Amino acid sequence: STVLLEAAGVRKAYGPTDALTAASLRVCAGEVVALMGPSGAGKSTLLHCLAGIVRPDDGTVRYQGEDLAVLTDRARSALRRTDFGFVFQFGQLVPELTCLENVALPLRLNGERGRASAKRAREMLAELGLADIAGRRPGEVSGGQGQRVAVARALVTSPRVVFADEPTGALDSLNGEQVMQLLTTVARERGTAVVLVTHEPRVAAYSDREVVVRDGRTRELEVIR
Ligand code: ADP
Ligand code: ADP
């Protein structure tokens, strides 16, 4: 199937530290890929390079065939808002906003009107079984619920790719599994690709393919389901 994202020979150093030395990865449309490997191996850096948040020192990242490095900053951030969704470990919901307003936020940032955004956000929450907490603030829901709201927020713009960096890292295993179940079920229904960073095999088990990152290098296809 179609290659959506492709990193080739990506190197990235932070001062004297080589975060990535030679990372290559292809992500096809609708595929769920887990980046595995020990802490400090370069997983997050690779995710940030793929998402156009960090610029590689060497190598290229292409999205739909286009080199991200040739885009202007403005075009790259527009691309992140329209085509990409993000789920992080924690701290991503705005505490002053309700869950509904948090989910509507990416739509508002894309220029949608308040009423239309609220409607779509409400539908998204309902689809994820979160309708009853729409009016609560993040501080008034559990960690697992908050992370499911974060999943709703990542998916509400109908992105082509969701980047999830340790999305279950702050959750117990039951809540972690629920979040992964939700994320991967909705992604598969919609044909959304997911690039997942995790060091937990039980979380990686929700992917189609696991790629091991070690010492700044990728080892493609060590596990294929
Ligand atoms: P992982 O996600 O596998 O834990 P990271 O990509 O976060 O690995 O980090 C890879 C290496 O790069 C580590 O040595 C880390 O300390 C370093 N690193 C990552 N981000 C930065 C940064 N912004 N500044 C300096 N060093 C960084
Ligand atoms: P450095 O400061 O070492 O050059 P940064 O990663 O901080 O590295 O990026 C600095 C510049 O590169 C910024 O203008 C930033 O917008 C741009 N940039 C960020 N991500 C990318 C990317 N994926 N491709 C090309 N340029 C990027």
Side-chain angles (χ1 to χ4, degrees), residues 2-152:
T2 340
V3 175
L4 195 60
L5 256 179
E6 179 168 27
V10 167
R11 187 178 70 79
K12 174 69 191 176
Y14 291 105
T17 308
D18 279 336
L20 290 176
T21 51
S24 297
L25 179 72
R26 283 179 169 184
V27 181
C28 291
E31 190 180 31
V32 181
V33 178
L35 303 180
M36 300 283 291
S39 180
K43 303 182 295 296
S44 293
T45 303
L46 178 55
L47 181 140
H48 291 148
C49 288
L50 288 165
I53 296 168
V54 163
R55 176 178 49 183
D57 297 330
D58 270 317
T60 53
V61 176
R62 291 178 187 278
Y63 172 67
Q64 295 187 320
E66 184 154 46
D67 186 347
L68 293 185
V70 308
L71 301 179
T72 61
D73 284 356
R74 195 190 173 90
R76 243 187 329 271
S77 54
L79 181 69
R80 284 197 297 271
R81 284 201 311 271
T82 56
D83 285 38
F84 298 165
F86 295 89
V87 183
F88 299 107
Q89 187 169 352
F90 37 51
Q92 55 200 316
L93 299 177
V94 182
E96 293 80 9
L97 301 182
T98 64
C99 291
L100 181 78
E101 289 164 343
N102 267 283
V103 175
L105 198 55
L107 299 171
R108 299 289 286 150
L109 292 173
N110 283 348
E112 275 194 44
R113 324 251 333 209
R115 183 177 295 210
S117 315
K119 182 167 182 285
R120 278 182 60 196
R122 200 173 287 285
E123 287 163 359
M124 190 72 232
L125 283 169
E127 189 179 339
L128 301 196
L130 297 166
D132 49 332
I133 62 165
R136 293 199 215 157
R137 287 177 218 289
E140 299 163 348
V141 303
S142 72
Q145 285 172 326
Q147 203 60 345
R148 281 182 277 158
V149 173
V151 168

Side-chain angles (χ1 to χ4, degrees), residues 109-202:
L109 292 173
N110 283 348
E112 275 194 44
R113 324 251 333 209
R115 183 177 295 210
S117 315
K119 182 167 182 285
R120 278 182 60 196
R122 200 173 287 285
E123 287 163 359
M124 190 72 232
L125 283 169
E127 189 179 339
L128 301 196
L130 297 166
D132 49 332
I133 62 165
R136 293 199 215 157
R137 287 177 218 289
E140 299 163 348
V141 303
S142 72
Q145 285 172 326
Q147 203 60 345
R148 281 182 277 158
V149 173
V151 168
R153 193 171 71 171
L155 289 166
V156 76
T157 56
S158 302
R160 306 289 297 269
V161 189
V162 169
F163 294 95
D165 196 347
E166 298 278 5
T168 65
L171 303 177
D172 62 37
S173 62
L174 179 63
N175 274 298
E177 302 237 349
Q178 282 176 356
V179 164
M180 285 311 300
Q181 184 76 54
L182 202 61
L183 174 60
T184 54
T185 301
V186 177
R188 287 195 172 96
E189 278 168 11
R190 298 177 163 209
T192 310
V194 177
V195 180
L196 164 74
V197 165
T198 185
H199 57 266
E200 297 176 67
R202 283 173 62 180

